[in-house]
Coordinates of all heavy atoms in Angstrom, one line a residue:
V507 N 18.0 23.7 -28.1 CA 18.4 22.8 -27.0 C 19.4 23.4 -26.1 O 19.3 23.3 -24.8 CB 18.9 21.5 -27.6 CG1 19.5 20.6 -26.5 CG2 17.8 20.7 -28.3
L510 N 17.5 25.7 -23.8 CA 16.8 25.0 -22.8 C 17.7 24.5 -21.7 O 17.4 24.5 -20.5 CB 16.0 23.8 -23.4 CG 14.9 24.1 -24.3 CD1 14.4 22.9 -25.0 CD2 13.7 24.8 -23.6
Q511 N 18.9 24.1 -22.0 CA 19.8 23.6 -21.1 C 20.4 24.7 -20.1 O 20.9 24.4 -19.1 CB 21.0 22.9 -21.8 CG 20.6 21.5 -22.4 CD 21.8 20.9 -23.1 OE1 22.4 21.5 -23.9 NE2 22.0 19.6 -22.8
I515 N 14.1 24.6 -17.1 CA 13.0 23.9 -17.7 C 13.3 22.4 -17.8 O 14.4 22.1 -18.3 CB 12.7 24.5 -19.1 CG1 12.2 25.9 -19.0 CG2 11.7 23.6 -19.9 CD1 12.1 26.6 -20.3
G516 N 12.4 21.6 -17.3 CA 12.7 20.2 -17.3 C 11.9 19.3 -18.3 O 12.3 18.2 -18.5
K517 N 11.0 20.0 -19.1 CA 10.2 19.2 -20.0 C 9.8 20.1 -21.2 O 9.7 21.3 -21.1 CB 8.9 18.7 -19.4 CG 9.0 17.7 -18.3 CD 7.6 17.2 -17.9 CE 7.7 16.0 -16.9 NZ 7.7 16.5 -15.6
V518 N 9.6 19.5 -22.4 CA 9.3 20.2 -23.6 C 8.1 19.5 -24.2 O 8.1 18.3 -24.3 CB 10.4 20.3 -24.6 CG1 9.9 20.8 -25.9 CG2 11.5 21.2 -24.0
L531 N 17.3 16.8 -28.8 CA 17.1 16.7 -27.4 C 17.7 15.4 -26.8 O 17.6 15.2 -25.5 CB 15.6 16.8 -27.0 CG 15.0 18.1 -27.2 CD1 13.5 18.0 -27.2 CD2 15.4 19.1 -26.1
N533 N 20.0 12.8 -25.0 CA 21.0 12.8 -24.0 C 21.0 14.1 -23.1 O 22.0 14.4 -22.5 CB 22.4 12.5 -24.6 CG 22.5 11.2 -25.3 OD1 22.1 10.2 -24.8 ND2 23.0 11.3 -26.5
T534 N 19.9 14.8 -23.2 CA 19.9 16.0 -22.3 C 19.1 15.7 -21.0 O 19.2 16.5 -20.1 CB 19.1 17.2 -23.1 OG1 17.8 16.7 -23.3 CG2 19.8 17.5 -24.4
G535 N 18.4 14.7 -21.0 CA 17.5 14.4 -19.8 C 16.2 15.1 -19.8 O 15.4 14.9 -18.9
I536 N 16.0 16.0 -20.7 CA 14.8 16.8 -20.8 C 13.6 15.9 -21.2 O 13.8 15.2 -22.2 CB 14.9 18.0 -21.7 CG1 16.0 19.0 -21.2 CG2 13.6 18.7 -21.9 CD1 16.3 20.1 -22.1
G537 N 12.6 15.9 -20.5 CA 11.4 15.1 -20.8 C 10.7 15.7 -22.1 O 10.6 16.9 -22.2
I538 N 10.2 14.8 -23.0 CA 9.7 15.2 -24.2 C 8.2 14.7 -24.3 O 8.0 13.5 -24.2 CB 10.5 14.7 -25.4 CG1 12.0 15.1 -25.2 CG2 9.9 15.3 -26.7 CD1 12.9 14.4 -26.3
S572 N 16.6 10.0 -26.4 CA 15.6 11.1 -26.3 C 14.5 10.7 -25.3 O 13.9 9.7 -25.5 CB 15.0 11.5 -27.6 OG 16.1 12.0 -28.5
N573 N 14.4 11.5 -24.2 CA 13.6 11.1 -23.1 C 12.1 11.3 -23.4 O 11.5 12.2 -22.8 CB 14.0 11.8 -21.8 CG 13.3 11.4 -20.6 OD1 12.7 10.2 -20.6 ND2 13.3 12.2 -19.6
I574 N 11.5 10.6 -24.3 CA 10.1 10.7 -24.6 C 9.3 10.2 -23.4 O 9.4 9.0 -23.0 CB 9.7 10.0 -25.9 CG1 10.5 10.6 -27.0 CG2 8.2 10.1 -26.2 CD1 10.4 9.8 -28.3
I575 N 8.4 11.0 -22.8 CA 7.6 10.6 -21.6 C 6.1 10.4 -21.9 O 5.5 9.7 -21.1 CB 7.9 11.5 -20.5 CG1 7.6 13.0 -20.9 CG2 9.4 11.4 -20.0 CD1 7.7 14.0 -19.7

Side-chain angles (χ1 to χ4, degrees):
V507 169
L510 292 172
Q511 289 178 308
I515 293 169
K517 293 187 176 88
V518 170
L531 287 165
N533 302 313
T534 63
I536 295 173
I538 309 169
S572 297
N573 184 23
I574 299 172
I575 56 176

